[in-house]
Amino acid sequence: MLQTTVSLAQPAAVQLDGPKSAEELRPFISYYLDSGWERTVSEMLNEYKNEFKPIETSAPDFGYTKDKIWLRMIFENRSELEEDWRIHFKENFKQLFDVYVARENFSIENVLSQDLERGFKTRSVQYPELVAPVTIEPGETVTVLVNYWSEGASYIQLTMETGPSFADIAAKRTAKNFIYYGMMILLIAAALIALVVYRHVVFAAYIAYAASTLLFLMHSDGVAYQYLWPDLPKFNSIASIVTGSAIIIFASNYARVFLLTKNRYPLVDKMLLAIIVTTIIIDVSAFFVDNQIVKKVLVLMSLIAVIGCTTSGIVAARTRFKEVRFFLFAWLGILLASAIMNLRHWLGIEISQDFQYDFMRFVMVVDAAMMGLAIGDRYNQLRAARQLATQQSLDEAKRNLELTKRLGALEKKYTIAAEVAQSKDEQIANTIHDLRQPLHALRLSVGQLVDGKHDHAVEPADIEQTFAYLEDLVSGHLDHSGVAHSVDHSGTVPDRDEPRLSTCDVLRSVHDMFLPDARAKGLEFKYVPTSLEADVEHLVLMRIVTNLVSNAIKYTEKGKVLLGCRRNGKKLFVEVHDTGPGLDESEFELAKEREIRIEQKTNGQEGNGYGLAIVCELVQKHGLSLKRHLGRKGGTGFVLEVPVR
């Protein structure tokens, strides 16, 4: 308790007959800026009492100032029963903060004192925001001086409350805060479960972003200082730098991971990386530059980061809106919240702090929820696309295998017809001539269809008609040649005589399919046959080898492609080698992922990145093994290990 001589010839007093709002108190607040930090409370009550000026804004706000600020208010208690009052400052922390009460008996009481040495527990009222308890007897008049300085904005809003009214405010504020926190924690918990189940990096990126958002909200509310680091006032002084920077960094990283900017949008990826690096540089500068400047710059940096993330969403939405729609909507909301913050901090536009914080809480919770929906939405769409691609691949493989079987049967019939033609008349010889050229064209068409490069002139229906024509022609020829007993009317050999495809047949058919494409590119396509039988379904083997050979020819510009087998113990090694650009181990692992293409290895070839992924899924499903051939000095070699039958 200080004793001083105080002249109480003061301006008009606030008539206390109940709680007073910020709007009701504003006309009675005056201020003094102490640029030299030299004034004492006694001097401000006496020598400098006439230096106070009325505030001109809706609440005390002097921007990012270096001055120490003095506020003065006079209160007269007109209530007959109430003597327990609370001055409620809607701020969680100031680097320096003192509240003095000067009474008519010339005593001065310091009812609240906070600085970088006093922890949260030294507060007289244990509440996340600054609260000064003031006892004013009925009929008593007191002068209240508030002396403070902040590394951040100097804005401060205050109300005068009774004990019951403050208790009601505290209860509502606590409930509101923890509703927000509970929602954020539920979202983070759901993402943690998804991370454990799916083991995808996007969930880790989302958790980091959501957790930093939650921590920033808790710090802004003062709850973090109350419960997480109550004995660390110096850290709490810079916590806005730490938590604010964390949001910028993790939000930008989440955008990179979610949108796959590194592979899909390199320029956008560089922009987001630049935002992350710039934020880190600003944080490091806090060790050398006034933190007040750092905090103000970070407010602007947050807007730049939000604009960057929103822009990245817009770029992605141009080509895949359904995948990124929730992501984009989330950033549009937080863009508005960041703009409001910058309007107040940089342009000095008067915006209620309650409105700003409540809007920020709402937007950030909605933003976090929308980001979670974005992940779920994208996964559902990718899963549907994967199922469709897998089904299409399976249907195509079945069709290709059937066409290959029919082609093999037709060629065998052609051989029979050729043998019969040697001992028959000129009409049979003419028939053989009619067969030879259509059969060659059919082989080319089947190869183009399997490889997926057929143009609009080569359609499955056309191939089916060609098959029907040749099969009828061969069957008719065999009927006239006395060998009709071996062929049925449909042109296929009856079940008792139908040849079963061997491993060599499957591999040779793949070679025949793709040989025209290889030659068209000037490549040598060599096949080394085998007498061994692989213990694997022929459809599975054909799908795997077809994809490997297709990729080898597609991405090899010059040289050769080799398809062959060799035995190693009880294993059969089916190998595909090429002289293309090659893949190292990390690129091989990356190429296994669906929709991932190694752009610098594609030579401008079109594709969707499914080929190697489907191969790896088939290998894993059927207990096989696919490895890179480590002994190659150039190109790519794949080794498929299958059991020997």
Side-chain angles (χ1 to χ4, degrees):
M1 188 79 67
L2 301 176
Q3 294 288 337
T4 183
T5 301
V6 180
S7 170
L8 294 178
Q10 304 289 1
V14 180
Q15 305 298 308
L16 292 179
D17 51 7
K20 297 296 180 182
S21 67
E23 291 76 13
E24 291 174 306
L25 291 181
R26 189 194 68 79
F28 300 92
I29 302 174
S30 55
Y31 75 94
Y32 175 85
L33 299 181
D34 183 5
S35 59
W37 290 43
E38 301 169 344
R39 308 297 177 232
T40 66
V41 62
S42 297
E43 290 175 335
M44 298 311 299
L45 289 169
N46 291 284
E47 296 97 304
Y48 293 93
K49 66 180 181 180
N50 295 325
E51 299 296 324
F52 281 89
K53 300 177 182 178
I55 63 171
E56 298 177 352
T57 52
S58 59
D61 186 2
F62 310 96
Y64 286 76
T65 179
K66 299 292 184 183
D67 298 341
K68 213 174 181 183
I69 301 166
W70 289 88
L71 301 179
R72 182 179 65 185
M73 293 166 288
I74 301 174
F75 296 100
E76 180 182 352
N77 187 1
R78 291 294 185 90
S79 171
E80 296 182 357
L81 300 176
E82 190 65 56
E83 64 179 35
D84 186 19
W85 300 88
R86 300 283 187 272
I87 306 178
H88 178 199
F89 301 91
K90 298 185 178 182
E91 287 289 333
N92 65 338
F93 184 80
K94 295 292 185 185
Q95 279 69 23
L96 294 174
F97 198 84
D98 285 283
V99 179
Y100 301 96
V101 178
R103 302 186 183 277
E104 294 174 321
N105 62 1
F106 308 117
S107 66
I108 301 175
E109 181 182 359
N110 187 191
V111 295
L112 178 62
S113 183
Q114 293 284 282
D115 57 29
L116 296 180
E117 301 299 327
R118 294 180 173 88
F120 183 86
K121 295 177 182 178
T122 64
R123 293 186 178 183
S124 49
V125 177
Q126 299 289 292
Y127 184 68
E129 295 178 323
L130 295 165
V131 179
V134 180
T135 300
I136 309 176
E137 299 287 344
E140 183 182 12
T141 299
V142 299
T143 299
V144 174
L145 291 181
V146 181
N147 181 214
Y148 73 96
W149 176 77
S150 172
E151 280 184 347
S154 60
Y155 178 93
I156 190 166
Q157 191 177 57
L158 60 130
T159 63
M160 177 64 93
E161 305 293 339
T162 62
S165 70
F166 175 73
D168 184 58
I169 289 173
K172 291 180 179 178
R173 181 63 176 271
T174 301
K176 181 171 65 174
N177 284 347
F178 281 93
I179 287 174
Y180 287 124
Y181 305 156
M183 294 173 66
M184 293 293 295
I185 290 171
L186 285 175
L187 291 171
I188 293 172
L192 278 171
I193 294 173
L195 177 62
V196 172
V197 173
Y198 296 106
R199 299 176 181 271
H200 197 290
V201 68
V202 71
F203 294 106
Y206 171 77
I207 290 169
Y209 167 66
S212 62
T213 299
L214 174 60
L215 200 58
F216 179 80
L217 289 175
M218 293 179 69
H219 168 68
S220 300
D221 295 333
V223 175
Y225 188 32
Q226 182 178 11
Y227 294 108
L228 301 184
W229 49 78
D231 299 320
L232 301 174
K234 290 183 179 178
F235 173 75
N236 194 65
S237 177
I238 61 170
S240 60
I241 296 177
V242 176
T243 57
S245 298
I247 289 182
I248 295 173
I249 292 171
F250 291 131
S252 300
N253 184 62
Y254 173 71
R256 295 181 64 236
V257 174
F258 180 82
L259 298 175
L260 300 174
T261 57
K262 185 176 182 180
N263 292 315
R264 292 177 178 267
Y265 316 106
L267 290 179
V268 171
D269 189 68
K270 290 179 180 178
M271 174 189 69
L272 294 173
L273 282 174
I275 290 173
I276 293 173
V277 172
T278 302
T279 302
I280 294 174
I281 292 173
I282 293 173
D283 290 345
V284 173
S285 70
F287 292 99
F288 311 100
V289 180
D290 189 342
N291 284 346
Q292 195 174 66
I293 299 175
V294 173
K295 290 180 179 180
K296 188 173 183 179
V297 170
L298 277 177
V299 172
L300 180 61
M301 193 66 205
S302 68
L303 178 61
I304 295 173
V306 172
I307 292 174
C309 292
T310 306
T311 301
S312 65
I314 293 173
V315 171
R318 294 178 61 189
T319 56
R320 49 195 183 112
F321 175 75
K322 287 186 177 180
E323 284 185 31
V324 303
R325 52 188 172 182
F326 287 111
F327 176 91
L328 180 58
F329 295 154
W331 282 114
L332 290 175
I334 205 167
L335 177 62
L336 181 57
S338 182
I340 289 174
M341 183 181 296
N342 276 269
L343 287 174
R344 188 170 75 84
H345 286 265
W346 278 90
L347 300 181
I349 296 176
E350 292 190 32
I351 300 174
S352 166
Q353 185 157 290
D354 276 347
F355 171 79
Q356 178 187 331
Y357 281 178
D358 285 344
F359 186 76
M360 182 171 62
R361 291 186 191 96
F362 172 77
V363 166
M364 285 189 169
V365 171
V366 173
D367 171 74
M370 293 286 277
M371 293 300 184
L373 286 174
I375 295 176
D377 189 50
R378 181 168 176 264
Y379 260 76
N380 285 335
Q381 293 184 42
L382 289 179
R383 183 174 58 189
R386 172 178 290 189
Q387 291 174 346
L388 178 61
T390 301
Q391 186 61 46
Q392 289 176 342
S393 175
L394 181 61
D395 293 343
E396 183 177 355
K398 288 181 178 179
R399 182 197 65 196
N400 293 341
L401 184 58
E402 179 64 25
L403 292 177
T404 302
K405 287 182 178 179
R406 293 176 68 184
L407 181 61
L410 191 58
E411 288 182 329
K412 288 182 180 295
K413 296 170 191 176
Y414 173 78
T415 301
I416 295 173
E419 292 174 353
V420 173
Q422 294 177 3
S423 59
K424 298 298 178 180
D425 57 14
E426 183 179 355
Q427 179 181 358
I428 297 177
N430 291 339
T431 303
I432 298 300
H433 179 270
D434 291 340
L435 279 171
R436 184 182 296 111
Q437 194 60 33
L439 183 61
H440 173 68
L442 179 62
R443 187 182 296 111
L444 290 177
S445 298
V446 171
Q448 293 178 14
L449 184 64
V450 171
D451 192 33
K453 288 187 173 182
H454 58 282
D455 56 26
H456 296 295
V458 182
E459 296 293 341
D462 298 333
I463 293 177
E464 182 63 33
Q465 292 177 1
T466 306
F467 265 121
Y469 165 70
L470 292 177
E471 288 167 348
D472 289 343
L473 187 59
V474 171
S475 297
H477 168 63
L478 294 179
D479 287 342
H480 291 298
S481 302
V483 292
H485 62 278
S486 64
V487 182
D488 65 18
H489 180 69
S490 66
T492 60
V493 180
D495 291 342
R496 64 180 181 273
D497 297 323
E498 183 177 356
R500 294 176 58 83
L501 287 180
S502 65
T503 298
C504 185
D505 291 332
V506 172
L507 298 181
R508 181 183 291 108
S509 66
V510 174
H511 176 262
D512 292 342
M513 290 177 203
F514 290 98
L515 186 59
D517 277 338
R519 288 174 174 172
K521 292 186 68 173
L523 302 177
E524 177 186 352
F525 185 15
K526 184 177 181 181
Y527 165 57
V528 179
T530 179
S531 61
L532 300 174
E533 286 298 318
D535 189 12
V536 63
E537 296 178 17
H538 291 149
L539 177 60
V540 174
L541 180 61
M542 171 166 278
R543 291 183 68 194
I544 293 173
V545 177
T546 297
N547 277 286
L548 294 177
V549 170
S550 175
N551 282 348
I553 294 176
K554 182 184 297 184
Y555 300 124
T556 301
E557 292 301 312
K558 61 181 179 178
K560 60 184 178 180
V561 176
L562 172 66
L563 169 63
C565 301
R566 60 186 176 88
R567 183 170 188 164
N568 186 352
K570 295 183 179 181
K571 298 286 187 179
L572 176 63
F573 288 1
V574 180
E575 303 187 14
V576 177
H577 298 268
D578 63 60
T579 57
L583 290 174
D584 60 28
E585 186 63 28
S586 62
E587 292 170 339
F588 175 52
E589 293 299 324
L590 182 61
K592 289 180 181 180
E593 299 292 331
R594 283 183 175 270
E595 296 186 336
I596 297 296
R597 305 182 72 224
I598 312 300
E599 298 296 339
Q600 62 269 30
K601 305 288 186 177
T602 60
N603 296 320
Q605 297 291 335
E606 295 183 356
N608 52 25
Y610 284 130
L612 192 55
I614 292 176
V615 168
C616 292
E617 289 175 2
L618 289 170
V619 166
Q620 182 178 7
K621 180 178 180 180
H622 294 278
L624 308 178
S625 173
L626 180 70
K627 300 178 180 178
R628 284 190 320 116
H629 192 285
L630 301 179
R632 293 193 58 84
K633 295 183 179 180
T636 304
F638 289 107
V639 180
L640 175 69
E641 297 183 15
V642 297
V644 177
R645 183 178 298 171

